[in-house]
Amino acid sequence: MAAGAGWRMEAGERGRRGAETLFRGLLFCVLGCGFCWGNSVERKIYIPLNKTAPCVRLLNATHQIGCQSSMNGDTGVIHVVEKAQDLKWVLTDGPHPPYMVLLDGELFTRELMLQLKGSSRISGLAVAISKPNPAQGFSPGLKCPNDGFGVYSNDYGPQYAHCNWTAWNPLGNGLAYEDFNFPIFLLEDANETQVIKQCYQDHNLPQNGSVPEYPLCAMQLFAHMHAVTNTVTCMRRSSLQTAFSLNPEEVCDALSDYNVWSTLKPINTSSKINPLDEVIIVATRIDSHSFFWNVAPGAESAVASFVTHLAAAEALHKVPDVQMLPRNIMFTFFQGETFDYIGSSRMVYDMKMDKFPIRLDNIHSFLELSQVALRNSSVLWVHTDPVSRRNDSIQPQVETLVEALINSSVGANVTLQEVGQSQPLPPSSFQRFLRAKSIPGVVLADHRTSFQNRYYQSMYDTAENILMKYPEGLSPEETLDYVTDTAKSLAEVATVVARALYQLAGGTGNTSAIQADPRTVSRMLYGFLIKTNNSWFQSIIKQDLKGLLGDELPQHYIAVTTLVNTTQLVQYVLANLTGTVVNFTKEECLNPEKTPNPEKEMYVYTWVQGSRDPNSTLRVPFCVQSTVHLTKAASPAFELKQWGSTEYSTWTESRWKDIRARIFLIASKELEIITLVVGIAILILSLLATYFINAKAHVLFSSPGDGGAVAY
């Protein structure tokens, strides 16, 4: 009896162990299959959209702007809107809200977007780029860029404040400064746009007035933003996280990068220059912006001007007697100017606080290149500040500046004309310097009053906007060196600027030999607007910076906490154009303090990878000696922790974890409920089967051989 009971207990235990082993085996099998096939199944269900750009959230002292999705992304049935009448379906008639609208670029206007913003039937938006560019123009920026952060205020030229005198960007619709509570993505690839439209036509297109049946083509957009309200709120939350959390999760970051600057004659950056030394500042901005994150081609708003600036710097450095000039010239490239003058305000702040080798009192005059590529009849307009010109000491110096520029244009295909002295300065970095000190200066631009640029701060401010055209059939190398009419035009402007600077610096020689190189301008335009990954850019950068170069269209948006590609490329191009090749080894170039060079504190040394040897695939690296430096382009508001400042820029960018887009077929709610119920039923049956197997394990898993042995 005891033996029989023991057998049954042993058999039951073996049965339970067998059941558990079987269950574990089945579980591991299911998990293993899920692990192996999960991604494959996802790829069969979803089509990812890889060439997209999101609208993200930006914040300043008082507002939040931009877009965001819910935490788990937003999903909606796709509806293609190619004309205004198509909106009626998504706003009122369509039976399957919420809708994800695929909008033609021509319809991406403020009026239409505000209609969508006010509807609960919209879950998101995908915008297809309009080709060709919208004929009527498109600028999502403000009519009065950087309003409130320039020089004009209630205390200084109040009649000019808030663009009361001139609306500089009349096409600006302010769309980029609205706040949308649904995600908006730009579709950058025409092929992906066509895939979405085909999915819509196959599944969602109403036929003969009938309602489309399930399954329907849907889109899901992920772009959840962590920051809310304004910069004051998000920076306070980030600082609390940093102070009290072991694993802080900051919710926003200040827009910041670096300014690039160099001097014609070397100076010791570890100390201040002599108070009696005079410096002429030449300035441009190197950043742009649009409605979408990191889509900022900025051809007219930034690239054309800083390329002209670089070409003028090269032309000046070739003049034999420049090191003997009575005055020095400082070439300055400001970052973050689109966002309330981040770069220029920081440099002025550093000068005032004695954190920069040049003081405000050292500045002799200021020349800024604004938008210069779209000249009418070769006219370049000279803008000055009417308020400071009332000063008897400033007026004659401004007249000298204007006269030098006009004299330098004689014989060139550039006609300089001065605007009326009653007109204020256009948006410019020079205004930030005037806020600190009355300085004689001019701003050169292709517009007399409002901008010529019909695509200011938009995705359409591309090479096409400044009329860059290439013959068909050129190889990449031939395109790189092809001198376009745009390059010739900008080279002429650079020549005029270089000659004027030479005269202003005290040069007395013949200026006719000072000439900007159109081929160099062509190369820069190609590299900064079309393709950074070209043979020239490859040859002038460090070997470990090859990641800077890509085949996609270059963008010029300021970053957060990192050195952006534009800044680094401007740095290396400037060093290449104005520097000198020195006979240093790699070790000496990387560690110049170890060399017996008495001027090592006056220069920066860079080991670049050089061009390829014609007879091999190897490059011939070399050392470049230059006066090119970087300095912070971070708003003083964040250093002072004045996050609600009205004096300095307070722009921040929200953080996020996941940004992506995908399309898929969505079933009806009824089918989803049926699928859920069937799944629950199968789960219950599985649990019951598992319970039954476990309860009868001693019967199901007993061995006949064991029974006979025990009976014996």
Side-chain angles (χ1 to χ4, degrees):
M1 187 73 177
W7 171 79
R8 283 192 295 272
M9 291 175 64
E10 182 180 351
E13 184 65 27
R14 285 200 305 269
R16 279 190 292 273
R17 287 199 299 268
E20 290 173 1
T21 302
L22 176 63
F23 183 75
R24 289 195 190 100
L26 289 171
L27 180 62
F28 290 151
C29 181
V30 170
L31 290 176
C33 291
F35 179 79
C36 295
W37 298 335
N39 289 334
S40 176
V41 171
E42 182 177 357
R43 286 195 296 269
K44 291 179 180 178
I45 296 175
Y46 300 104
I47 299 176
L49 304 174
N50 299 316
K51 297 288 185 180
T52 62
C55 161
V56 303
R57 175 168 290 166
L58 300 175
L59 309 98
N60 65 10
T62 56
H63 293 83
Q64 65 179 27
I65 63 172
C67 321
Q68 80 152 356
S69 73
S70 59
M71 188 170 293
N72 296 316
D74 289 325
T75 303
V77 174
I78 295 172
H79 191 78
V80 176
V81 175
E82 295 179 328
K83 53 186 183 296
Q85 293 84 339
D86 296 336
L87 276 180
K88 188 179 179 184
W89 181 268
V90 297
L91 294 177
T92 56
D93 296 351
H96 305 120
Y99 284 96
M100 194 68 70
V101 176
L102 174 55
L103 188 67
D104 186 83
E106 287 276 353
L107 299 177
F108 188 49
T109 63
R110 179 182 179 84
E111 293 73 24
L112 186 144
M113 290 301 298
L114 292 182
Q115 286 186 59
L116 298 180
K117 182 180 179 180
S119 173
S120 60
R121 292 169 55 90
I122 304 299
S123 61
L125 195 72
V127 180
I129 291 181
S130 176
K131 292 187 177 180
N133 294 349
Q136 71 276 15
F138 175 74
S139 174
L142 299 172
K143 293 184 185 297
C144 187
N146 292 356
D147 185 23
F149 290 87
V151 69
Y152 302 113
S153 65
N154 293 334
D155 300 323
Y156 188 99
Q159 68 272 34
Y160 307 125
H162 312 300
C163 299
N164 288 332
W165 193 271
T166 304
W168 296 107
N169 184 31
L171 292 177
N173 57 31
L175 193 59
Y177 294 83
E178 289 288 332
D179 183 37
F180 295 92
N181 60 357
F182 51 77
I184 303 176
F185 278 53
L186 176 68
L187 301 175
E188 300 181 284
D189 188 343
N191 292 328
E192 288 188 345
T193 303
Q194 189 55 45
V195 168
I196 299 171
K197 288 184 175 180
Q198 189 62 51
C199 186
Y200 164 79
Q201 292 169 1
D202 292 344
H203 299 278
N204 299 9
L205 187 65
Q207 299 292 339
N208 300 321
S210 62
V211 175
E213 297 181 357
Y214 287 99
L216 297 173
C217 190
M219 181 184 295
Q220 189 173 28
L221 302 178
F222 297 84
H224 180 66
M225 301 288 122
H226 294 177
V228 294
T229 310
N230 53 42
T231 290
V232 177
T233 302
C234 81
M235 291 301 293
R236 185 177 65 244
R237 291 177 178 176
S238 293
S239 62
L240 289 173
Q241 283 277 339
T242 304
F244 298 107
S245 175
L246 294 176
N247 297 303
E249 291 190 8
E250 298 183 7
V251 295
C252 66
D253 298 286
L255 295 180
S256 61
D257 195 54
Y258 288 84
N259 298 322
V260 182
W261 66 279
S262 73
T263 52
L264 189 64
K265 297 187 289 185
I267 62 173
N268 190 336
T269 56
S270 62
S271 61
K272 304 292 183 294
I273 68 172
N274 191 304
L276 299 178
D277 288 348
E278 293 183 323
V279 178
I280 301 168
I281 292 183
V282 195
T284 47
R285 65 176 58 188
I286 58 174
D287 70 295
S288 188
H289 178 45
S290 79
F291 186 88
F292 299 99
W293 181 75
N294 204 30
V295 178
E300 159 75 341
S301 62
V303 176
S305 58
F306 75 68
V307 162
T308 304
H309 187 171
L310 288 164
E314 180 193 33
L316 268 175
H317 272 268
K318 291 179 179 179
V319 179
D321 65 340
V322 289
Q323 297 302 316
M324 300 291 107
L325 294 176
R327 300 185 183 97
N328 207 342
I329 298 174
M330 177 177 164
F331 306 101
T332 314
F333 301 82
F334 290 121
Q335 181 63 273
E337 296 301 274
T338 303
F339 295 96
D340 299 336
Y341 305 118
I342 292 174
S344 56
S345 63
R346 180 53 184 258
M347 182 169 284
V348 171
Y349 173 80
D350 287 344
M351 287 180 172
K352 290 169 65 176
M353 302 301 292
D354 280 341
K355 296 181 179 180
F356 197 77
I358 297 170
R359 302 177 180 87
L360 287 169
D361 290 338
N362 291 119
I363 300 176
H364 170 268
S365 53
F366 199 104
L367 192 157
E368 180 169 354
L369 288 165
S370 185
Q371 302 177 81
V372 295
L374 298 177
R375 292 179 287 139
N376 276 337
S377 304
S378 299
V379 175
L380 196 62
W381 294 96
V382 183
H383 297 260
T384 58
D385 173 40
V387 179
S388 61
R389 291 188 72 166
R390 297 171 192 161
N391 186 315
D392 292 339
S393 64
I394 297 294
Q395 170 66 11
Q397 296 181 69
V398 174
E399 290 179 349
T400 301
L401 263 170
V402 175
E403 184 181 356
L405 285 162
I406 292 175
N407 290 340
S408 299
S409 66
V410 175
N413 190 24
V414 179
T415 303
L416 270 88
Q417 293 187 21
E418 187 179 2
V419 301
Q421 293 189 23
S422 61
Q423 182 173 299
L425 287 168
S428 52
S429 306
F430 180 38
Q431 292 198 32
R432 290 302 302 191
F433 283 79
L434 283 175
R435 283 177 73 125
K437 186 178 186 294
S438 289
I439 299 170
V442 300
V443 176
L444 300 182
D446 55 21
H447 54 89
R448 181 178 185 177
T449 52
S450 57
F451 296 161
Q452 296 275 48
N453 187 1
R454 294 179 299 126
Y455 305 107
Y456 182 74
Q457 289 186 6
S458 89
M459 55 199 171
Y460 301 114
D461 190 9
T462 59
E464 179 185 346
N465 185 33
I466 60 172
L467 309 178
M468 282 178 59
K469 297 178 181 178
Y470 296 94
E472 293 183 4
L474 294 182
S475 67
E477 282 301 305
E478 291 171 335
T479 308
L480 173 66
D481 288 323
Y482 181 81
V483 179
T484 63
D485 290 339
T486 302
K488 294 175 184 176
S489 175
L490 294 178
E492 290 166 351
V493 175
T495 297
V496 171
V497 170
R499 291 174 179 176
L501 289 171
Y502 176 77
Q503 293 179 33
L504 292 168
T508 57
N510 185 1
T511 61
S512 61
I514 301 176
Q515 187 74 42
D517 184 1
R519 180 170 174 268
T520 301
V521 175
S522 284
R523 287 182 152 204
M524 289 190 286
L525 288 174
Y526 180 82
F528 285 112
L529 287 176
I530 296 175
K531 186 177 180 182
T532 57
N533 192 17
N534 59 73
S535 61
W536 185 46
F537 277 12
Q538 290 168 8
S539 69
I540 63 175
I541 65 170
K542 294 179 180 179
Q543 186 174 10
D544 58 353
L545 293 178
K546 289 185 290 186
L548 287 178
L549 309 179
D551 294 327
E552 297 181 350
L553 291 177
Q555 308 298 337
H556 308 290
Y557 172 71
I558 187 174
V560 292
T561 69
T562 58
L563 199 59
V564 299
N565 291 5
T566 303
T567 302
Q568 295 184 76
L569 289 174
V570 167
Q571 176 190 7
Y572 287 106
V573 170
L574 182 59
N576 178 268
L577 297 180
T578 63
T580 305
V581 177
V582 291
N583 189 23
F584 280 14
T585 65
K586 182 177 181 179
E587 181 66 23
E588 291 172 335
C589 193
L590 297 177
N591 302 282
E593 66 278 359
K594 297 180 181 179
T595 62
N597 183 357
E599 296 183 321
K600 60 189 175 186
E601 294 184 356
M602 311 289 283
Y603 295 99
V604 174
Y605 295 89
T606 310
W607 186 257
V608 300
Q609 61 180 358
S611 303
R612 295 187 187 277
D613 190 305
N615 300 319
S616 72
T617 58
L618 300 177
R619 294 186 177 274
V620 183
F622 55 91
C623 185
V624 176
Q625 171 188 276
S626 73
T627 62
V628 180
H629 304 275
L630 298 178
T631 185
K632 277 187 179 181
S635 172
F638 297 99
E639 183 166 310
L640 300 170
K641 294 191 176 180
Q642 297 175 357
W643 303 321
S645 173
T646 57
E647 170 69 15
Y648 299 111
S649 171
T650 55
W651 284 105
T652 54
E653 180 183 273
S654 175
R655 289 195 178 188
W656 60 80
K657 285 188 177 178
D658 190 20
I659 286 185
R660 56 194 169 98
R662 60 189 184 182
I663 63 172
F664 56 97
L665 294 181
I666 188 172
S668 66
K669 295 296 181 184
E670 293 79 4
L671 181 57
E672 288 179 348
I673 292 172
I674 292 172
T675 304
L676 177 63
V677 170
V678 171
I680 292 172
I682 292 174
L683 174 63
I684 293 172
L685 289 174
S686 299
L687 293 173
L688 291 173
T690 302
Y691 173 78
F692 174 78
I693 292 172
N694 189 54
K696 301 297 182 180
H698 63 284
V699 177
L700 297 174
F701 298 100
S702 62
S703 172
D706 291 344
V710 172
Y712 172 79

